[in-house]
């Protein structure tokens, strides 16, 4: 009760400084929770990909895999954050974005040639490697969606699900 009265009597700048000091003090814990949420999202996506592989990937269209890569981690992120509330779950979309940018730089650095996006410019390399459903660039042996698009969708889906489950502070 005294803490609440002291907080009411404090200047707004003092309250903001105290909140920032608490955030800095919890930096290690926040990093650990980002790592835990990232591992849960990656594990969910990996388990889903294993199940699809065991079900013969020729029968699963790429768009269905993309949808499952997004919605299954979204559901897992929602329930994981519903059970264990922490503010770091929604930030997994940043991990996905960073991952995607790293893979994009790798693709852009690759040389082109016959059967490997011959005479492609940068935008064609990226589009054909990650987003085209019926054509492939030939770079990284046609695994662009597996290495870039689908894990990114999983991290973004997980972050959205975790954000939906986070209880709003009054």
């Amino acid at each position: 009760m005294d803490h609440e009265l002291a907080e009411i009597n404090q200047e707004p700048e003092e309250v903001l400084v105290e909140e920032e000091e608490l955030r800095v003090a919890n930096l290690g814990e926040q990093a650990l929770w980002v790592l835990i949420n990232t591992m849960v999202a990656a594990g969910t996506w990996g388990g889903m990909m294993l199940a699809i592989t065991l079900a013969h990937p020729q029968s699963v269209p790429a768009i269905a895999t993309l949808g499952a890569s997004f919605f299954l981690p979204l559901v897992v992120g929602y329930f994981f954050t519903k059970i264990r509330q922490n503010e770091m779950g929604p930030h997994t979309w940043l991990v996905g974005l960073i991952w995607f940018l790293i893979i994009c730089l790798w693709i852009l650095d690759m040389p082109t040639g016959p059967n490997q996006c011959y005479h492609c410019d940068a935008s064609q390399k990226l589009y054909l490697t990650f987003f085209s459903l019926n054509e492939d660039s030939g770079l990284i042996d046609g695994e662009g969606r597996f290495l870039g698009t689908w894990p990114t969708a999983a991290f973004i889906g997980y972050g959205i699900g975790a954000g939906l489950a986070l209880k709003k502070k009054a």
Side-chain angles (χ1 to χ4, degrees), residues 45-128:
W45 176 75
M48 182 211 63
M49 290 305 294
L50 180 64
I52 288 174
T53 302
L54 293 175
H56 306 294
Q58 294 84 7
S59 63
V60 180
I63 193 76
T65 305
L66 178 62
S69 292
F70 179 80
F71 286 110
L72 186 62
L74 185 141
V75 171
V76 170
Y78 179 84
F79 286 113
F80 187 80
T81 304
K82 199 74 158 162
I83 293 168
R84 177 67 171 107
Q85 291 283 309
N86 79 43
E87 296 176 358
M88 295 296 108
H91 298 294
T92 56
W93 73 270
L94 286 170
V95 175
L97 181 64
I98 291 167
W99 175 256
F100 187 70
L101 291 174
I102 290 169
I103 302 298
C104 283
L105 286 174
W106 179 40
I107 295 299
L108 290 173
D109 196 39
M110 290 184 146
T112 61
N115 297 325
Q116 293 182 334
C117 208
Y118 199 49
H119 295 300
C120 286
D121 63 8
S123 61
Q124 289 173 320
K125 273 184 173 181
L126 295 176
Y127 174 74
L128 292 174

Side-chain angles (χ1 to χ4, degrees), residues 1 27 58 109 130 135-136 162:
M1 181 75 174
L27 194 58
Q58 294 84 7
D109 196 39
F130 298 117
E135 200 176 346
D136 193 64

Side-chain angles (χ1 to χ4, degrees), residues 2-51:
D2 292 333
H3 178 64
E4 291 175 6
L5 289 175
E7 203 171 278
I8 292 172
N9 293 330
Q10 287 180 336
E11 296 290 323
E13 296 89 24
E14 292 175 9
V15 173
L16 292 175
V17 169
E18 285 181 12
E19 287 177 2
E20 186 64 29
E21 287 173 356
L22 283 174
R23 287 185 187 155
V24 171
N26 294 332
L27 194 58
E29 182 182 345
Q30 290 173 349
L32 177 65
W33 277 109
V34 167
L35 179 65
I36 290 169
N37 283 292
T38 300
M39 291 296 129
V40 170
T44 301
W45 176 75
M48 182 211 63
M49 290 305 294
L50 180 64

